[in-house]
Amino acid sequence: MKSKIRFSSVIGFIVLLLLILPLMIVIITSFGSETAISFPIKGFTLNWYHNVFQQPDFVEGMKMSFIVAILAATIALLIGIPAVYALTHFQIHHKSWFQNIFLNPALIPEIVIGFALYQTLVISFGLPLFLSLLVGHCLLCLPYVIRLLTAGMMDFDNRIEEAAWMVGYNKIVTFFKVVIPNIKQSILAAFILSFITSFNNIPITLFMNGPSLNMLPTSILNYLENNYDPTVSAVSVILMLITAALMMIAEKYLGLNKLT
Amino acid sequence: MKRSTTLLLLPGLLIIIILLIYPALRMFIPTFTSGNSLFENYRLFFSSSNNLKVIYRTLMIAVATTLVTLGLGLPTAYWISRLNGNWRKLVSIIVLFPILTNAVVRNFAWIMILGKNGVINNFLMKIHLIDTPLTLLYTNLAIIIGAVYLFLPIMITSLVSSFSQLNSEIEEAAEVLGARPVVVFFKVILPQVSLGIFTGSILVFVGALTAYTTPQLLGGNKNMVLATLLQQQSITLGNWTSASVIAIVLTVIAVVTMFVLNKVSKMLDRRNNLEIKN
Amino acid sequence: MAQIKIENLTLSYQKNKQILKDLSLEINNGELLSILGPSGCGKTTMLRLISGLLPIQGGSIKVAGNDISKVPVYKRNFGMVFQSYALFPHMTIFQNVAFGLKRKKLSKEVISEKTLSILKTTGLIDLKDRMPSELSGGQQQRVSLARALAINPDVLLLDEPLSNLDAKLRIEMREEISRLQKKMKMTTIFVTHDQEECFAISDRVAVMNKGKIEQLDTPERIYQHPKTRFVAEFIGYDNFISKDWATEHGWSYNDTNSGKYLTIRPENIKVGTGNNTLKGKITARNFLGDCYQYIVETELGRMKVDTDNKDYQIGSELTLYFDKQSLIELENK
Ligand SMILES: Nc1ncnc2c1ncn2[C@@H]1O[C@H](COP(=O)(O)OP(=O)(O)OP(=O)(O)O)[C@@H](O)[C@H]1O
Ligand SMILES: [Mg+2]
């Protein structure tokens, strides 16, 4: 018993270090004063953070990525909530079949989704890039929404909803006054996960960005092709701060285990 | 189906059918119809030794990543599942944080570590173990390291949840009966977390198989995998049919693996349950 | 105000498996009627049909003469107390009770006043700012009742409202329900599978079996004159004697119908000789608190006999005497 615990705790500790150290290095190099990334750093400067905001691609990309992530998560919820309600409340023939359709996007590799959407929506239909990208990100978020909300809805006792009908509220009002408040944790969890998934996505975004549509992750990728300086470290730190902020929100309102 | 049910399901169904399944079919069908014969495009694709190399590399990286994450993940997850209170929370945060951090950031960290003037080479040169930098970046190994870093937290998370459900009494009972710790781990604990192992392996394998960012950043132009080849054929070269073939091959490998591993895990799970009952 | 008339109600959840079969029932205005029946006989199903939570498949339900099958749940103004309470978890007790009133176009003051008054009558006033999760089962039960009563319902439907309470609280609560029901003169349907509970508070009792009403009567009539073997067994008649056998052996009993069985309560079987007797062997003795119950194997099967005498020995022979006046005729089967 003892030796097993000791063995696993040594490995576990090393693994944790391996998980943190690379990110630590990124953080530290973002403050280095040399123009080429070096570790350990020689001097201290905040110039690279300043430089991040001098890059129109990064600033625009950040804005765009925020907008797309919020829209995609919201739309996925607006589509997903009614579907989950129907799937959990009504007797439907071939219910698992429908469930699988909704989880479908998780089955197809993201890069394939991106490619297929680009071919059909952008090239054949001539849909604006922004709309096509939004579609892609909604599809990406939908499985998360369906999975988390189904779990939340299953935990909710249908009798509570019926009790509201009995005291005189119609089904739509009941849905907003009784059902939604009781699954709001799942909704928040689904939103946060969807937001992060969309915000961080590269494989789908790759096909549907361009001079007119900058997204942050692909902008960083492009920047890395031509430059290798601590600006990337600095923008990485900013991304980590966003992740940390979302984790804090999740921890405060949900408990972190809701996110996994 | 009742009208209200249809109404609630319709938006989602329409979006998935029109905006996902239809585009997928439009990509799928021409790969058969545009050639001289039905499988012409596939024959062409598979007859190129370069393509075969790419497929082999992709699979090799996915398998290696899965095995390494399993090897590191099992003891780590076992350890985490035995922690309580604030330690457990802190560790969960450390594991969860990378999952939620952009893949570009995580791969960029490894460029700095593995590069010619990177952390490892600098260190080795400083202690005079080597005098010319090693080529670590832009190799298959770099891709595997990056993918392990990317997917290890996911493996740990799915293993922890199944270790946490483990009944520690069974484990203790086995020890009371005199089994050595190593034996207990392999004969008693592992079979019970087989579901977690399979769930984690499916996620990691399929993730590594289809990952784009890691091979792109850490593999360079020489070490192509299916995902980067797809990107190259479509965006860079505009070779739609060939890109579609790659997309189908990638999807088929991913779906088949998922399906098979799922089936196997269900079978094993049932057998374990029976064994415990008997 | 609200007389309920149920006619030929049928329902099945799955094809070929009828849960309710041609069920008919009339509940008078202001009456408290209990539905008594074993688990799975369709009590909840019937209540859900009356409330509108399940759509009617066959038959009709009329309230005060009007067919209500087209009236949606939320327009019926029925009160319902669910077996699982089903309180709104995100609202305080006050908000739970006031929720139904808020929909009606009343001023804030009136809503508050009415809510407080209901909370007072149900003894919940001190708990009004708590959340449902902070209450005991019995308290939640009362909130559920208060919430149903707050909308001043035309019909009150109670689905085994006391089943999760301990014995003492059950008695308290059923008296409270009875008191409130009489005060507000609501037509009430009370579902239970506890016979003592339903005899204590009901004006009439409907005994239900496999989706049908077997007998509808006052509690006294049901207790003294069960009509069918099912009803008799359900309310504690354990001894059955076939009429053919009794006639053959020269018993005297009231023979007024074509039914096949006579029944008698365990406490009415005496030990004695003469006519109307039956020999048997004692196989067990149980102490029931106020008497002893002997299990006696006879040629008619097992008889249960309650008596004060504790001296009969297991294994010994006993001659049982069945008084003509205590023998009750069942109607069929
Ligand atoms: N939603 C449903 N789908 C299918 N069958 C159902 C459903 N609800 C109830 N049943 C079946 O209908 C029958 C009657 O159920 P019901 O809930 O009305 O019984 P009950 O008399 O209320 O029993 P209890 O005293 O246990 O509450 C049961 O056999 C039950 O299995
Ligand atoms: Mg019931």
Side-chain angles (χ1 to χ4, degrees), chain A residues 200-251:
Chain A
N200 285 342
N201 179 268
I202 292 168
I204 292 181
T205 313
L206 193 69
F207 286 91
M208 284 168 285
N209 69 355
S212 60
L213 185 63
N214 269 312
M215 302 294 286
L216 187 56
T218 43
S219 293
I220 302 176
L221 266 187
N222 292 340
Y223 187 92
L224 262 177
E225 298 217 327
N226 308 313
N227 314 273
Y228 183 64
D229 68 42
T231 312
V232 182
S233 302
V235 77
S236 295
V237 173
I238 294 174
L239 284 175
M240 283 189 242
L241 287 175
I242 294 172
T243 305
L246 287 172
M247 277 177 77
M248 262 152 70
I249 295 176
E251 163 66 12

Side-chain angles (χ1 to χ4, degrees), chain A residues 1-5 7-9 11-13 15-16 18-23 25-26 29 37-40 75 79 82-87 90-93 98 101-113 115-121 123-125 127 135 138-139 142 171 193 196 199-203 206-207 217-218 220-221 224-225 228-230 232-233 235-237 239-241 243-244 247 251 256 259-260, chain B residues 1-2 4-5 7-9 11-13 15-24 26-27 71-76 78-80 82 89 91-106 108-113 115 117-119 122 126 148-149 152-153 156-157 171-172 175 181-182 184-185 189 206 210 212-213 216-217 227-228 230-231 234-235 239-241 243-248 250-251 254-255 258:
Chain A
M1 190 83 221
K2 279 270 157 53
S3 72
K4 189 174 54 193
I5 293 275
F7 169 76
S8 63
S9 57
I11 301 260
F13 193 73
V15 164
L16 287 194
L18 283 177
L19 286 181
I20 315 176
L21 280 183
L23 295 178
I25 295 176
V26 173
T29 53
I37 299 177
S38 65
F39 181 86
I75 295 171
I79 297 165
V84 170
Y85 185 86
L87 287 172
F90 303 129
Q91 293 198 336
I92 299 170
H93 284 294
F98 282 102
I101 292 189
F102 280 108
L103 296 176
N104 222 343
L107 217 63
I108 304 175
E110 287 172 22
I111 191 153
V112 176
I113 296 182
F115 173 59
L117 292 189
Y118 179 68
Q119 253 190 320
T120 302
L121 301 188
I123 304 283
S124 301
F125 291 181
L127 225 58
V135 167
C138 283
L139 291 172
L142 210 49
K171 299 194 175 181
L193 264 189
I196 291 190
F199 193 84
N200 285 342
N201 179 268
I202 292 168
L206 193 69
F207 286 91
T218 43
I220 302 176
L221 266 187
L224 262 177
E225 298 217 327
Y228 183 64
D229 68 42
V232 182
S233 302
V235 77
S236 295
V237 173
L239 284 175
M240 283 189 242
L241 287 175
T243 305
M247 277 177 77
E251 163 66 12
L256 280 178
L259 285 190
T260 51
Chain B
M1 232 185 312
K2 281 198 313 193
S4 56
T5 315
L7 228 62
L8 292 172
L9 286 173
L13 286 180
I15 286 195
I16 289 183
I17 292 170
I18 298 176
L19 300 176
L20 180 70
I21 296 178
Y22 174 69
R26 274 188 58 134
M27 174 188 78
L72 293 174
L74 276 170
T76 310
Y78 180 73
W79 172 61
I80 294 176
R82 296 295 143 116
K89 200 162 179 183
V91 172
S92 314
I93 291 175
I94 294 174
V95 173
L96 187 58
F97 187 80
I99 297 182
L100 303 179
T101 300
N102 200 304
V104 174
V105 175
R106 290 190 275 167
F108 168 65
W110 285 98
I111 296 183
M112 294 195 306
I113 297 171
N117 295 311
V119 177
N122 271 346
K126 194 164 270 169
V148 166
Y149 186 62
L152 185 53
I156 293 176
T157 311
E171 190 184 337
E172 277 157 21
E175 259 159 38
V182 182
V184 171
F185 188 80
I189 301 178
V206 174
T210 61
Y212 167 78
T213 316
Q216 171 69 16
L217 282 176
T228 45
L230 166 57
Q231 188 266 355
S234 56
I235 298 182
N239 199 342
W240 298 117
T241 313
S244 300
V245 170
I246 300 167
I248 307 284
L250 186 58
T251 309
V255 171
M258 257 189 277

